[in-house]
Amino acid sequence: NDGAAIVSWMGHHPLTDDVFRKWRGSIFGVFREPWSHLRSMWAYFGPSWLRVANRSNSTNVIPRDLLSFSARVAGSTVLQVSGQRHGMDCLSHAYDCTHMMPDTRKALDRLGGFAFVGLTARWRDSMCLFHAMFGGPCLAVELEQYHQTNYRRVPWPPEDVSIEIDLATKLFYSGAVERFQRDWEMHKLTSGLCHYRCPSRP
């Protein structure tokens, strides 16, 4: 039913061809900058990853742990939007992980079927754009953060450890930024205007 389709997408399920055809033009997505997304995923799933590796969370992360994790989750957002894989797969050893080549072109093409594309890095601007496109007042509660990541749960490697974001993820995020910017310019918005329209809670 319709409710199941909505819950399915909200639950990190893949955006299957059937769901996309049914909801094309009514899909909303807010996407995160890839490096920030990786850090968040590691902060949440890293502790269980290290437990499987028989290492305490209090020790320094051995670079290969994070390198292995980043390789395992590479392209996760693209795979979910293209309908290839569940968004939670590969994030933890508790989930199955089948390597797939992300269909970046399909995921990028699907952004054209989204009613709205926002960016977490520009959250206030995204909420402002949403209301410019669909009406209604921007409420202070929309700017509050309810799921803050605890980055102290797991250590992060030193700065000299290089972690490369996969190409599919970078290309898809660039496409999301381009879509956001087009809508932003179409509605003639500025960050100053959005700060006025979407004030924080006093």
Side-chain angles (χ1 to χ4, degrees):
N1 58 40
D2 291 354
I6 296 174
V7 172
S8 173
W9 175 239
M10 293 289 288
H12 302 286
H13 288 262
L15 184 56
T16 64
D17 292 343
D18 288 343
V19 171
F20 182 73
R21 280 194 295 269
K22 182 172 185 177
W23 294 98
R24 184 184 180 96
S26 301
I27 302 171
F28 295 71
V30 181
F31 300 97
R32 192 167 186 170
E33 186 277 323
W35 182 254
S36 174
H37 191 201
L38 176 62
R39 287 208 66 173
S40 179
M41 289 189 289
W42 176 250
Y44 192 87
F45 291 98
S48 63
W49 188 271
L50 294 180
R51 280 195 296 272
V52 171
N54 294 318
R55 278 189 280 280
S56 168
N57 293 349
S58 62
T59 63
N60 290 328
V61 174
I62 297 176
R64 69 169 180 268
D65 291 322
L66 183 52
L67 287 169
S68 177
F69 178 81
S70 64
R72 182 179 166 103
V73 302
S76 292
T77 300
V78 181
L79 289 163
Q80 184 181 354
V81 174
S82 63
Q84 294 174 265
R85 193 169 74 192
H86 193 287
M88 296 292 287
D89 286 355
C90 300
L91 287 174
S92 168
H93 286 293
Y95 302 108
D96 292 332
C97 183
T98 302
H99 177 73
M100 297 180 179
M101 182 65 69
D103 192 338
T104 310
R105 174 47 53 197
K106 184 175 184 179
L108 285 169
D109 288 345
R110 283 188 167 184
L111 286 177
F114 277 51
F116 172 79
V117 171
L119 307 172
T120 62
R122 295 181 61 180
W123 186 262
R124 184 194 301 271
D125 289 346
S126 294
M127 295 302 98
C128 180
L129 175 60
F130 175 88
H131 288 288
M133 294 175 67
F134 303 103
C138 186
L139 305 178
V141 67
E142 296 171 6
L143 305 181
E144 296 184 8
Q145 187 173 7
Y146 290 96
H147 301 284
Q148 297 188 34
T149 302
N150 181 2
Y151 291 100
R152 292 175 294 184
R153 295 179 69 230
V154 62
W156 186 254
E159 293 182 1
D160 60 352
V161 176
S162 177
I163 306 294
E164 181 66 24
I165 300 297
D166 64 281
L167 180 61
T169 295
K170 290 191 287 189
L171 289 173
F172 178 77
Y173 185 72
S174 293
V177 171
E178 290 177 7
R179 164 64 192 275
F180 174 87
Q181 196 62 35
R182 284 198 303 272
D183 290 342
W184 176 263
E185 294 173 359
M186 183 183 300
H187 288 83
K188 298 179 170 58
L189 296 174
T190 66
S191 292
L193 177 60
C194 286
H195 189 84
Y196 172 77
R197 287 186 177 180
C198 298
S200 301
R201 190 184 296 276

